Amino acid sequence: SSAQLCGSRDPAWALLPCLVLQSELGELLGLVHYMEGLRLISTVELVAPTSDENVTVTDTELSGVPVRLFLPQRAPGGLRRAVLFFHGGGWCLGDAGMHGYDLMSRRISNELNAVVVSVNYRLAPPHRFPAQFEDVYSVTKFFLQDKVLSQYGVDPARVCVAGDSAGGNLAAAVAQQLSEDPEVETKLKAQVLIYPALQALDLDLPSYRDNAHKPLLPGALMVRFWSEYLSADPALRAAMAAGRHVPPEAAPLLPLLDWSRWLPADMRGAHTYEGPALGGAGLARRFPALLDPRACPLLAPEARLRRLPPAFVLTCEHDVLRDDGAMYAARLRAAGVPVTHHHAKDAFHGAMTFLAWPVELAVGHRLFDTCMGWLKENL
């Protein structure tokens, strides 16, 4: 089986390089869609919803969307916190029931005495933007209703969204949309963005150049994830790979992701800013998601950012997405939002999921503990 071929069972992201090769071959031979091949990661890792002495775990639905729900067993001693968690996997892979995500949610629930709702949003293919966003938004909006919060004993003033990678993208987008939704009275207390992907216009940032071939998330795989999420048209992937995907209409938005302005000097390094080249007419009509802040939260104007809750942003040095998170942290700060930007110089994309045997890393525990420390103080 693929799992045996690729070695150890957990965490599944360690199998990625091997599955990428198998999936490329399978797609080349017309046997399987590339992402269907990679989805073996999620399958190999799935664990049943199992309660323990601290946390009751169930698979259920909220607002018609499947979720894994984690409820602390100890007496609440008042109203509880709540965390809406969105898993990573490039909008194409991943599951709330993967061992790594189950473990993280379980620990958050137990250590923060929090209700954790981990959302199983629809994946690409076949589901493209905005399906993933709509699922997590619908669950969050449903959960924030007074009657639902009181049903779970949650303090309406202590709810946050959180996510890693593509889930960090969704958490940022949900926070933005909620801030402008007149139907939602409950405000988020915080947002936790763990190495998030936040824009698809400039795929030649210093972090993409520095980490093009680094493990777990090489640049080519990130381009594939973006193209699968934003459109079913294979022409988008080809245009992105060639840097010819930026619609001329994007020109006024490019200052919002001008890394010569928004990145700290040590991340800019010796790189020179030229900005993405504009592609041909018709791109915006064919691929409107490229310009949509619900897909690319870094494109939101400052007026929209001003309304956002305090943020914890984690970035890793050896990660193509490093600069997305660092620029968003800088833009949030410029808009007056309280931001804690924790940059891990020794870490790589996905590091926080390496919390359990047989690939348990000190850096994974350190990043998770840092994140938990911030939540204990700010949620």
Side-chain angles (χ1 to χ4, degrees), residues 10 33 41 68 79-80 119 124 129 145 186 252 256 261 274 302 313 326 328 354 377:
D10 180 39
H33 186 283
I41 289 176
R68 183 163 287 196
L79 294 175
R80 290 191 166 102
V119 184
F129 173 82
Q145 296 174 98
T186 303
L256 303 179
R261 175 182 179 191
E274 291 167 8
E302 185 173 305
V313 182
Y328 197 54
F354 290 79
E377 285 187 19

Side-chain angles (χ1 to χ4, degrees), residues 172-186:
V174 164
Q176 287 187 14
Q177 187 89 348
L178 281 174
S179 72
E180 300 187 345
D181 191 331
E183 296 175 5
V184 181
E185 290 178 13
T186 303

Side-chain angles (χ1 to χ4, degrees), residues 204-210 259 263 267-268 271 322-323:
D204 190 36
L205 300 168
S207 57
Y208 273 86
R209 298 177 196 173
D210 293 344
W259 57 260
L263 277 188
M267 289 190 192
R268 294 197 300 268
H271 298 290
R322 176 194 72 198
D323 297 351

Side-chain angles (χ1 to χ4, degrees), residues 41-65:
I41 289 176
S42 312
T43 313
V44 164
E45 265 271 278
L46 283 181
V47 292
T50 309
S51 302
D52 59 32
E53 68 275 14
N54 299 313
V55 182
T56 303
V57 184
T58 49
D59 283 348
T60 181
E61 286 191 356
L62 293 183
S63 191
V65 178

Side-chain angles (χ1 to χ4, degrees), residues 34-212:
Y34 181 75
M35 288 303 168
E36 294 292 347
L38 287 194
R39 257 179 223 158
L40 280 166
I41 289 176
S42 312
T43 313
V44 164
E45 265 271 278
L46 283 181
V47 292
T50 309
S51 302
D52 59 32
E53 68 275 14
N54 299 313
V55 182
T56 303
V57 184
T58 49
D59 283 348
T60 181
E61 286 191 356
L62 293 183
S63 191
V65 178
V67 301
R68 183 163 287 196
L69 191 61
F70 299 80
L71 303 173
Q73 296 220 25
R74 66 176 178 269
L79 294 175
R80 290 191 166 102
R81 301 162 160 132
V83 177
L84 292 129
F85 186 85
F86 315 137
H87 68 75
W91 310 278
C92 300
L93 316 171
D95 193 288
M98 288 173 71
H99 182 241
Y101 288 123
D102 181 272
L103 179 63
M104 281 169 65
S105 299
R106 194 177 288 271
R107 283 191 58 188
I108 292 167
S109 180
N110 184 40
E111 293 172 32
L112 292 180
N113 194 22
V115 174
V116 177
V117 180
S118 189
V119 184
N120 266 329
Y121 52 86
R122 286 169 289 172
L123 300 173
H127 305 288
R128 315 291 174 172
F129 173 82
Q132 290 81 339
F133 170 79
E134 286 172 347
D135 283 358
V136 294
Y137 193 73
S138 151
V139 169
T140 306
K141 190 168 172 174
F142 176 84
F143 189 79
L144 289 174
Q145 296 174 98
D146 288 343
K147 63 182 182 196
V148 180
L149 293 170
S150 68
Q151 180 190 336
Y152 291 108
V154 169
D155 185 341
R158 303 182 83 183
V159 182
C160 83
V161 289
D164 67 316
S165 196
N169 164 284
L170 294 169
V174 164
Q176 287 187 14
Q177 187 89 348
L178 281 174
S179 72
E180 300 187 345
D181 191 331
E183 296 175 5
V184 181
E185 290 178 13
T186 303
K187 301 288 180 222
L188 291 176
K189 179 78 186 289
Q191 52 181 326
V192 174
L193 314 178
I194 300 162
Y195 29 76
L198 298 167
Q199 60 82 36
L201 291 178
D202 193 345
L203 303 175
D204 190 36
L205 300 168
S207 57
Y208 273 86
R209 298 177 196 173
D210 293 344
N211 301 296

